[in-house]
Amino acid sequence: MSYRVLQLGKFHPIRGGVEKVMEAFTCGLSCRGYECDMLCASEDGSTNEISLNGYGRIIKTPTWTKKAATMLSPGMIFKLRKICRDYDIIHIHHPDPMAALALFMSGYRGRVILHWHSDIVKQKNLLKLYAPLQNWLIHRADRIVGTTPTYVAESPALKRVQDKVSYLPIGVQEPQACLQDIARIRERYQGKKIILSMGRLVEYKGYEYLISAAEILGDDYVILIGGKGELMPQLEEQIHRLHLEDKVHLLGYVANEEIGAYYHACDVFCLSSTIKTEAYAIVQVEAMASGKPVVSTNIPGSGVSWVNEHGVSGLNAPVCDAVGLAKAIQQICQTPETYTRYSLAAKARYRMMFRSEDMIDRLLRLYEELLDNHSPFISMNPATI
């Protein structure tokens, strides 16, 4: 079946999980010979069109300013109005008020898939303004796809449209790294169990609890936190105040080519997030793909603890609980046999649920069923989508 798809939303260069998914869809489909483009706002001012492989493009529109975590790019409206009729499916990624407004004003009459990555949790004032447009988008969509069954089932905004809701787990490729880079990191922290976390240094990531957990862990543990953000000074002050300079290290920005080495060098990956803004956390899947057990948190309404199956790929601790994080880390590392069991199970869960090639297979089936008017609605079982 031949068709053209547009991934719509967010921004470029790639920063967070939503943009990673959009890029993965665009690259994955176009590499298989399907025409798939990505329309997004430009964060760095560049508006050059990026050709991927003859079948896919990244199209960027200029951004005026950024408000409430949203890129204001009126050019997206005009661009989408111009090109929307070239596509059989528009796959819009939520939350992104700018993309929703562009779709609303485009006059597009084709099929729409709404990818529900997250509810709007923190931006309460934005939600009040955006709610009418969000409701229009929910009802306009032919299909709504979340990332986990937990999140879409418990999202208040989706309660009345469960008949057209399903989920598609985000898949990743196994992070790659050379042995020398892995060995260099292990040597730097020789004799230590390395606990790794990766993400922006923002409030909902809960890093203050992970840092406090270092007080409970023994001196044979070291915590590495990769990423940058507004809380860097505050976290540095906490580390200094608790005299944890030898046990907790803020790595700052970690380049893409270095991330794989940290995943493979660490012993346990820890996700300490506190609210359902953290809906999925691709980083824990990347850790599982590297054969690393995961300690994450039981965030109400989030899919994080579904991704990390408790007692299988790792353990889920209570939110905002430094003691709980420390105990879960210690439990995984208590004996070599226990650690190996979690490590092997994490890798097995990745291979069963979260491979990037399987994600693209399921996405193609979703598109084909959407375009086939006689086809039944897709199942909530990821094995069938």
Side-chain angles (χ1 to χ4, degrees):
M1 183 182 293
S2 178
Y3 48 84
R4 296 194 67 190
V5 182
L6 180 69
Q7 307 294 328
L8 174 64
K10 289 299 178 178
F11 48 84
H12 195 274
I14 306 302
R15 303 290 187 199
V18 177
E19 304 90 72
K20 285 183 180 179
V21 172
M22 291 179 62
E23 184 183 50
F25 286 176
T26 305
C27 292
L29 291 168
S30 59
C31 284
R32 297 194 187 189
Y34 291 89
E35 294 187 69
C36 182
D37 297 331
M38 173 176 164
L39 176 61
C40 56
S42 171
E43 188 182 32
D44 62 3
S46 65
T47 55
N48 58 303
E49 185 176 293
I50 301 172
S51 178
L52 297 177
N53 46 31
Y55 291 95
R57 301 171 296 164
I58 297 177
I59 307 165
K60 297 183 283 184
T61 58
T63 297
W64 280 10
T65 186
K66 182 178 180 180
K67 294 288 186 182
T70 298
M71 298 292 176
L72 299 182
S73 177
M76 185 180 290
I77 297 172
F78 299 110
K79 187 67 175 180
L80 186 59
R81 284 182 64 89
K82 184 177 180 180
I83 67 174
C84 66
R85 289 165 184 80
D86 295 337
Y87 300 97
D88 302 290
I89 298 172
I90 290 183
H91 191 146
I92 183 170
H93 295 259
H94 173 91
D96 190 337
M98 188 71 247
L101 180 61
L103 182 62
F104 178 76
M105 299 185 70
S106 69
Y108 178 70
R109 297 185 179 277
R111 300 302 181 99
V112 172
I113 290 180
L114 170 57
H115 211 117
W116 196 270
H117 292 271
S118 172
D119 297 341
I120 295 177
V121 179
K122 294 187 66 178
Q123 303 287 349
K124 300 295 185 183
N125 292 331
L126 172 64
L127 182 57
K128 290 178 183 178
L129 294 172
Y130 177 52
L133 186 57
Q134 176 176 276
N135 291 336
W136 171 84
L137 182 60
I138 289 169
H139 291 286
R140 170 65 179 86
D142 297 282
R143 297 286 187 266
I144 300 172
V145 182
T147 53
T148 66
T150 306
Y151 206 102
V152 291
E154 298 189 19
S155 170
L158 302 180
K159 289 293 185 184
R160 297 184 179 181
V161 292
Q162 289 292 308
D163 59 321
K164 61 178 180 181
V165 171
S166 187
Y167 72 101
L168 175 65
I170 300 169
V172 303
Q173 294 183 342
E174 181 179 335
Q176 299 299 308
C178 69
L179 294 177
Q180 295 92 328
D181 291 341
I182 299 170
R184 194 176 301 118
I185 296 170
R186 294 296 313 179
E187 185 178 355
R188 191 179 307 152
Y189 305 103
Q190 192 170 11
K192 307 282 189 179
K193 298 180 183 73
I194 299 175
I195 312 304
L196 177 66
S197 194
M198 289 276 188
R200 291 180 297 129
L201 305 186
V202 293
E203 186 178 356
Y204 77 84
K205 293 292 186 178
Y207 287 127
E208 66 269 32
Y209 302 102
L210 180 55
I211 291 171
S212 293
E215 288 191 287
I216 303 163
L217 297 171
D219 291 337
D220 56 337
Y221 287 87
V222 64
I223 293 174
L224 308 181
I225 301 174
K228 62 179 184 178
E230 60 198 41
L231 293 187
M232 175 76 82
Q234 182 177 321
L235 298 177
E236 287 176 335
E237 189 278 330
Q238 180 186 3
I239 292 168
H240 179 71
R241 174 167 41 85
L242 298 177
H243 307 290
L244 295 172
E245 290 88 348
D246 292 335
K247 295 180 69 174
V248 182
H249 300 275
L250 302 181
L251 303 175
Y253 172 74
V254 180
N256 287 335
E257 59 269 20
E258 298 175 340
I259 290 175
Y262 278 98
Y263 279 125
H264 286 284
C266 79
D267 295 286
V268 175
F269 186 87
C270 187
L271 185 84
S272 53
S273 300
T274 59
I275 61 175
K276 65 181 294 189
T277 298
E278 191 76 88
Y280 189 90
I282 294 174
V283 286
Q284 62 178 344
V285 177
E286 292 172 335
M288 290 160 57
S290 305
K292 305 302 176 176
V294 176
V295 170
S296 55
T297 47
N298 278 310
I299 304 169
S302 170
V304 163
S305 57
W306 177 87
V307 174
N308 179 35
E309 187 175 357
H310 186 75
V312 179
S313 53
L315 296 172
N316 294 308
V319 297
C320 306
D321 187 344
V323 175
L325 291 174
K327 286 184 176 179
I329 291 168
Q330 291 169 330
Q331 185 175 336
I332 288 173
C333 297
Q334 62 183 317
T335 66
E337 293 76 19
T338 301
Y339 179 82
T340 299
R341 174 168 58 83
Y342 279 111
S343 176
L344 293 174
K347 188 65 176 253
R349 182 160 174 77
Y350 158 72
R351 287 174 172 164
M352 179 177 67
M353 298 289 295
F354 305 119
R355 298 193 315 157
S356 60
E357 52 266 44
D358 294 335
M359 176 184 70
I360 299 301
D361 287 343
R362 295 164 185 159
L363 183 63
L364 284 169
R365 286 198 289 273
L366 170 62
Y367 289 163
E368 288 163 5
E369 290 181 352
L370 180 62
L371 293 170
D372 181 357
N373 293 326
H374 303 291
S375 180
F377 180 43
I378 58 174
S379 165
M380 287 290 286
N381 183 348
T384 67
I385 64 175

